[in-house]
Amino acid sequence: MDIIKLNGVFVRYNTDWVLENIDLTIKEKEFLSIIGPNGGGKTTLIRTIMGLNEPEIGELWVKEGLRIGYVPQFTRFDRSFPINVYDTIISGRLSSQIKAFSRFSTSDRRLADETITRMNLGRLKFKQIGRLSGGQLQKVLIARALVAEPDVLLLDEPTANLDAENKEEIYSILQEYNQEKTIVLITHDLEYVNDKKREIMVLNKKVIYRGETPQKHELACINGDMSGMINRSAEKDGGNDV
Amino acid sequence: MMFDLIMNYRFMQNALISAILSSVICGIIGTIIVEKKLVSMSGGIAHTSFGGIGLGYLLGIEPLIGGLLFALGASMGISYIKRNTNTNADTLIGMFWAVGMALGVIFIALTPGYPPDMTSYLFGDILTVSQSYVKVIAFLAVLVIVVIGSIFQYWKGYLFDDEYMRILGINTIMLEYLLYVLIAFSVVILIKVVGIVLSIALLTIPPAAAKIMSNNLKGIMSFSIIIGCITSVGGMFVSYYFNIPSGATIILLSIMVYFILFIFRKLIPAKE
């Protein structure tokens, strides 16, 4: 079942078009990886889906009542901010209606604890975020998104700047959650995308490619840097796919 | 002797109460200013208010009311223009800052009669605070405690990651305007205590010192209030005994406390 649709969407910052004529359909429980060069509009695309950017032209349709969770890049955070893991995660349960003197309910706290356990963050629960490693903070941000029980999880390069072990852990968490949720992921990890024969989208302002990990003949339509990146990555995996 | 001073002199009682109440305001709002990195914004608001003080003199109304209107205008204006144009906040703050001061100088020059002494507005004088002014500070302190305390979790979320709060559907624009109004009120209230030039120091030094001692938001606010009380009450007495300006004394004491805590923390690191 379709849950998100973009029809001929154009988005611009000031005078520069960042997205041009984007047609995109995302289905329930899909696992879509978005790849593309820097400045190719990947972050803008997921910001548009969340309603943070307005399409200048075209239409965005989101299934009524769809709950969207977002995991931003952990590198943009001020790590000196005085907040611990638990408070960061439970902030995902804040209701959109601000009510004075309201507190987190028992079910909010239970959900936060369950998510912390499921993400294996128990021993870090009261640690300040400034004392976490990049991988740990990334898991905390994923937990903050998951605690709101979203139907779709949008992640902006969750594995950037992480070592192989942390990357593997993040991907296996996403794999597990994909059993019940839709995952849309911006990534540069082409090895991973190729390995899993994932549904991918190559974005460079326009949709350059959409489908399973591209085959040799399909790469003909992927121009510029992306073609090189995908080729190299696929060759490392044996080269048969390209 | 300190006790006698307070018991016998009304102006000392007013000064003491306003020192404590402004420490409460500074501890809470100052922590937010420091954590949200709004220090130069607050400096801009404080200096813009000088234009309103000048206008107050020119029109013959209470100068601080003029100052407050200018401070509110600056905080709303900077926020609105930043949101709706591509001018960056830093540039805007600089412009408001300079225009406010320039207008103040011109309005005072246009004021008929002998020019008023602006020193107390620029550098403050806690020993001249009136009883009705104490009531205004008390009202603001209660307002700050209620507005921040009643939705504390939202403030914490907003300060840490306002974009995420927006994604959750929370009205962050309303929170931002509310915060800027509180900053404008706080800055203007502090003009009597430490003056325009030094108000920013009282909003930033106690929270910076408090952060050495605590690593959670409520803890930083609480330590900041305590540090503010110690330095402002201490500064008040020191300035009385040595007959030196109170605002500057309070600021220098705050900086001393900051360095003492800094060295203390270097010698005895915090536990994990």
Side-chain angles (χ1 to χ4, degrees):
Chain A
M1 189 176 50
D2 297 344
I3 52 170
I4 295 167
K5 270 186 184 173
L6 284 84
N7 286 327
V9 164
F10 286 73
V11 176
R12 68 173 170 186
Y13 289 129
N14 301 321
T15 52
D16 298 330
W17 291 102
V18 188
L19 294 177
E20 295 173 15
N21 199 21
I22 304 292
D23 289 321
L24 170 67
T25 303
I26 298 170
K27 293 185 187 313
E28 205 174 10
K29 293 187 188 168
E30 190 171 331
F31 193 126
L32 174 66
S33 304
I34 302 173
I35 59 173
N38 291 332
K42 304 185 295 295
T43 301
T44 305
L45 176 64
I46 59 172
R47 288 175 63 87
T48 305
I49 293 172
M50 287 184 295
L52 293 174
N53 289 111
E54 289 257 328
E56 187 92 5
I57 306 169
E59 281 177 358
L60 163 72
W61 173 85
V62 176
K63 189 185 149 198
E64 209 179 318
L66 188 80
R67 285 171 303 183
I68 298 178
Y70 174 55
V71 182
Q73 290 183 32
F74 73 87
T75 44
R76 79 170 172 82
F77 281 90
D78 169 17
R79 303 281 283 274
S80 72
F81 189 83
I83 191 168
N84 66 24
V85 168
Y86 181 77
D87 286 348
T88 305
I89 292 173
I90 204 165
S91 73
R93 294 293 304 171
L94 282 169
S95 100
S96 59
Q97 297 303 315
I98 299 177
K99 279 196 206 113
F101 303 106
S102 64
R103 316 189 94 189
F104 288 113
S105 68
T106 316
S107 76
D108 290 333
R109 289 197 293 271
R110 182 179 47 77
L111 267 163
D113 281 328
E114 279 173 15
T115 312
I116 285 170
T117 308
R118 201 168 165 187
M119 297 287 289
N120 201 18
L121 288 165
R123 68 187 172 82
L124 303 174
K125 190 172 170 183
F126 297 111
K127 209 165 184 173
Q128 295 295 305
I129 58 146
R131 294 187 182 274
L132 302 180
S133 70
Q136 288 168 336
L137 178 56
Q138 191 63 73
K139 279 167 67 180
V140 170
L141 296 177
I142 295 174
R144 180 181 65 169
L146 289 170
V147 82
E149 301 183 295
D151 306 304
V152 185
L153 203 53
L154 307 178
L155 303 101
D156 194 350
E157 294 193 40
T159 54
N161 302 312
L162 294 186
D163 59 29
E165 195 180 327
N166 274 307
K167 274 184 189 177
E168 200 50 53
E169 189 182 1
I170 300 281
Y171 280 124
S172 77
I173 290 166
L174 296 180
Q175 183 91 29
E176 187 194 328
Y177 274 95
N178 187 221
Q179 307 297 317
E180 49 197 90
K181 296 179 195 304
T182 309
I183 309 271
V184 178
L185 168 80
I186 293 177
T187 183
H188 284 296
D189 296 333
L190 293 161
E191 290 89 346
Y192 179 79
V193 171
N194 275 339
D195 265 1
K196 306 288 177 189
K197 299 284 182 294
R198 294 242 170 258
E199 182 75 8
I200 72 156
M201 183 169 99
V202 182
L203 185 70
N204 189 5
K205 296 190 177 178
K206 296 174 181 154
V207 179
I208 307 287
Y209 174 80
R210 167 76 199 262
E212 274 205 358
T213 308
Q215 305 295 302
K216 207 172 213 166
H217 62 280
E218 289 161 336
L219 270 173
C221 62
I222 304 173
N223 51 20
D225 292 345
M226 284 317 296
S227 159
M229 284 165 77
I230 291 173
N231 264 315
R232 279 195 300 280
S233 162
E235 276 159 13
K236 265 200 314 199
D237 295 342
N240 297 329
D241 292 344
V242 181
Chain B
M1 190 155 172
M2 262 168 66
F3 187 71
D4 288 348
L5 260 178
I6 294 165
M7 290 307 287
N8 294 331
Y9 295 103
R10 192 59 194 241
F11 77 91
M12 271 306 217
Q13 291 165 15
N14 291 340
L16 180 72
I17 299 168
S18 48
I20 292 167
L21 292 172
S22 12
S23 301
V24 172
I25 298 167
C26 287
I28 298 172
I29 296 298
T31 301
I32 293 177
I33 287 173
V34 169
E35 293 302 340
K36 198 64 183 164
K37 304 194 170 32
L38 294 172
V39 176
S40 63
M41 158 104 180
S42 308
I45 294 174
H47 285 77
T48 311
S49 72
F50 190 70
I53 290 170
L55 187 64
Y57 271 111
L58 181 63
L59 300 178
I61 58 167
E62 166 58 46
L64 280 179
I65 293 182
L68 178 63
L69 293 176
F70 268 55
L72 286 170
S75 59
M76 298 291 113
I78 293 168
S79 171
Y80 180 82
I81 299 170
K82 184 182 70 172
R83 204 187 305 283
N84 292 292
T85 68
N86 56 3
T87 312
N88 83 42
D90 210 35
T91 312
L92 276 172
I93 290 163
M95 291 195 291
F96 271 86
W97 186 307
V99 169
M101 292 302 283
L103 285 174
V105 170
I106 288 174
F107 289 145
I108 288 160
L110 291 174
T111 303
Y114 194 73
D117 177 22
M118 299 307 288
T119 320
S120 74
Y121 290 104
L122 289 173
F123 300 104
D125 191 354
I126 199 169
L127 301 176
T128 61
V129 170
S130 68
Q131 202 172 0
S132 53
Y133 198 76
V134 171
K135 286 180 188 159
V136 175
I137 305 182
F139 173 75
L140 180 66
V142 172
L143 187 74
V144 165
I145 292 169
V146 171
V147 171
I148 303 298
S150 64
I151 51 168
F152 190 74
Q153 295 300 340
Y154 283 90
W155 287 115
K156 198 195 280 187
Y158 166 76
L159 295 175
F160 175 57
D161 188 359
D162 54 359
E163 185 178 84
Y164 199 77
M165 295 296 111
R166 199 142 61 99
I167 292 163
L168 290 178
I170 293 161
N171 189 346
T172 53
I173 295 178
M174 191 271 285
L175 286 177
E176 184 174 298
Y177 279 125
L178 191 56
L179 174 61
Y180 286 5
V181 168
L182 287 180
I183 292 175
F185 270 98
S186 306
V187 159
V188 172
I189 288 297
L190 289 176
I191 288 175
K192 272 276 188 197
V193 183
V194 286
I196 288 174
V197 180
L198 300 177
S199 63
I200 200 64
L202 206 57
L203 284 163
T204 54
I205 302 170
K211 202 168 179 178
I212 298 173
M213 302 307 290
S214 175
N215 56 13
N216 77 68
L217 204 57
K218 266 188 195 157
I220 295 172
M221 286 178 176
S222 310
F223 268 110
S224 184
I225 291 171
I226 295 167
I227 292 167
C229 283
I230 293 169
T231 56
S232 55
V233 174
M236 196 181 92
F237 283 105
V238 171
S239 86
Y240 179 82
Y241 281 114
F242 293 98
N243 196 22
I244 50 176
S246 59
T249 313
I250 291 169
I251 300 307
L252 291 178
L253 269 185
S254 309
I255 279 288
M256 269 172 62
V257 170
Y258 177 86
F259 278 113
I260 290 167
L261 291 177
F262 181 79
I263 292 165
F264 170 80
R265 197 35 96 221
K266 282 279 167 216
L267 296 174
I268 307 166
K271 286 180 194 153
E272 272 280 322

